[in-house]
Amino acid sequence: MIWRQKQRSGDGSTNIQAHVVQYGVSYDDAKAIAMDVFKENFSKLSQGAHRVAIERADEFTMNYLSELHDRQPQAIGNIEDPGVQSDILEAQAGFAKSGDQDLGEVLVDVLVDRTARTDRTTATLALSAAITTAQKLTSSHFAALSALFVFKQLKLFGMIHHEQLYLMITQLLGSAKDAMMRLSDSDIQYLAALGCLTISIGAAPIHQGLQQAYPGLFSDGFDISSAPATLSGAPEDGPESVVRKLKDTPAVAASPRDPTKFQVAAADNESLHKILEANGLLEYETVLRQTLTARPLHGDAIVAEMREHNPALGEIADAYDAASLPNCTNTAIGTAIAHANLRKATGGAFVSPLDIWIS
């Protein structure tokens, strides 16, 4: 059974199937290699347990090769690498012992990323460790690592409105609400002991991470009614003056929270640069970058907005704080697991390569 269906047909839709490209080792060969290694290592089980283990390993291997073909077809030959074979066996064994499909999907995604690497790097070692470690985690542990990833590591591009961002966060974490609410201090200590996260004294709450990643989406806006209409170029020029000067350009927009106010029309410095470059306004980039972060929305207001957008987000935020996750940071192992779990949670729609976070 293939767990993650990649294509769905509907009225008027067309599915396009890619040709299978061979890279020395065929997919039939790859499956035979993977299953031979598994059978040899699990031959000592009782007859009943052996049969169940083989069935589960076969199911896992089909899903692994399907995902490998879709995401990393050029890596098929790496299955002959001893290190890759060892990790295939470890992942097969993990699923064979539990039969848990959620775990199986995470293991498949981690294993596909691992198969693409044969060099000895931090990413390779972290992925190998993630295959072993993921088998020791519950749904609450996966949820905690994913929440840390979303609120502290992930930056979504193309966001133009805070409601759009909340929708994306809901798609990534909404299904983890119940698991998040079961988190305890013991779970966090356990994750730290497994090397999935680190715990520090300093805390970075949810709103802080969002404001750092998307300052323009979390501006309180600028009241320009009493601001000078011109810029002197002096340091005392306030952000209200900057916004009033440029309010009739694409660099400034009305505040989505208060129609009487204005704000910089960009989520972050990168999107701001593109707007200014496209409209011949690069001379104002320095002052607009300063203005972008000049009037941040209060943290409580951000969490309240999330809760209003979707009550589940509010409950996730409460559970995040209650479990002291603001004091935690994912390690490379935790990042690899969280990345794979988000692919599972979104049915494979989360496609950002792991190399962005682990090189």
Side-chain angles (χ1 to χ4, degrees):
M1 178 182 67
I2 298 297
W3 300 324
R4 189 176 295 161
Q5 299 298 325
K6 301 297 192 306
Q7 298 191 356
R8 294 174 175 83
S9 298
D11 293 341
S13 67
T14 302
N15 287 339
I16 300 173
Q17 295 287 355
H19 293 291
V20 176
V21 180
Q22 303 295 0
Y23 293 88
V25 176
S26 72
Y27 278 82
D28 286 341
D29 291 340
K31 183 177 181 183
I33 291 170
M35 289 305 298
D36 285 347
V37 173
F38 181 83
K39 290 174 183 177
E40 182 177 341
N41 282 271
F42 272 66
S43 60
K44 295 181 180 179
L45 294 177
S46 68
Q47 184 175 357
H50 185 264
R51 177 182 55 77
V52 172
I54 293 297
E55 289 174 354
R56 289 176 177 175
D58 187 69
E59 180 181 1
F60 177 88
T61 303
M62 283 196 305
N63 280 275
Y64 158 58
L65 293 176
S66 173
E67 194 71 16
L68 184 67
H69 173 256
D70 286 345
R71 288 171 49 199
Q72 301 283 357
Q74 75 284 355
I76 187 67
N78 292 345
I79 286 180
E80 294 188 301
D81 179 82
V84 172
Q85 281 195 18
S86 177
D87 285 333
I88 292 172
L89 174 61
E90 179 65 30
Q92 286 173 316
F95 180 70
K97 286 183 284 188
S98 70
D100 185 286
Q101 183 177 321
D102 288 335
L103 172 62
E105 287 196 54
V106 171
L107 291 174
V108 160
D109 278 315
V110 175
L111 186 58
V112 168
D113 280 325
R114 168 65 183 94
T115 305
R117 298 163 169 82
T118 56
D119 50 345
R120 188 175 172 80
T121 64
T122 297
T124 303
L125 296 173
L127 287 162
S128 293
I131 290 170
T132 301
T133 304
Q135 301 172 46
K136 303 174 184 178
L137 304 183
T138 68
S139 59
S140 292
H141 300 142
F142 286 124
L145 298 176
S146 294
L148 282 173
F149 187 94
V150 169
F151 291 129
K152 292 193 175 184
Q153 296 173 269
L154 180 64
K155 183 173 182 179
L156 296 164
F157 292 100
M159 299 292 104
I160 59 175
H161 195 284
H162 60 274
E163 291 286 345
Q164 180 189 15
L165 178 62
Y166 296 151
L167 178 61
M168 291 299 297
I169 294 174
T170 300
Q171 292 175 0
L172 292 166
L173 295 178
S175 62
K177 184 201 74 172
D178 291 341
M180 283 288 295
M181 294 178 68
R182 293 193 296 269
L183 275 172
S184 67
D185 290 339
S186 297
D187 289 313
I188 304 306
Q189 295 295 331
Y190 179 70
L191 286 168
L194 287 176
C196 293
L197 55 77
T198 58
I199 305 173
S200 62
I201 297 175
I206 288 174
H207 70 82
Q208 185 180 101
L210 294 178
Q211 286 173 322
Q212 288 176 349
Y214 320 95
L217 299 186
F218 298 104
S219 169
D220 195 32
F222 301 92
D223 180 355
I224 62 172
S225 58
S226 60
T230 59
L231 292 175
S232 67
E236 57 266 23
D237 280 333
E240 284 77 13
S241 297
V242 175
V243 171
R244 180 170 182 181
K245 167 71 176 178
L246 299 171
K247 75 178 181 67
D248 295 322
T249 74
V252 170
S255 167
R257 297 180 176 89
D258 184 343
T260 68
K261 294 182 178 181
F262 295 84
Q263 65 184 56
V264 179
D268 51 33
N269 287 334
E270 291 82 1
S271 55
L272 173 62
H273 179 81
K274 290 179 180 178
I275 292 171
L276 299 181
E277 187 175 44
N279 293 277
L281 296 170
L282 284 175
E283 62 183 294
Y284 298 107
E285 184 164 13
T286 299
V287 292
L288 282 171
R289 283 193 175 207
Q290 295 168 350
T291 303
L292 193 63
T293 58
R295 298 285 185 270
L297 192 65
H298 193 277
D300 290 343
I302 294 175
V303 176
E305 273 188 350
M306 291 173 60
R307 197 182 306 276
E308 184 177 355
H309 173 85
N310 187 333
L313 284 185
E315 293 180 273
I316 288 171
D318 292 340
Y320 188 91
D321 290 339
S324 301
L325 286 174
N327 299 85
C328 301
T329 305
N330 280 338
T331 64
I333 296 171
T335 297
I337 294 172
H339 183 272
N341 192 55
L342 288 173
R343 283 189 58 84
K344 177 188 76 66
T346 60
F350 178 67
V351 296
S352 298
L354 182 63
D355 306 81
I356 294 173
W357 296 277
I358 310 176
S359 57

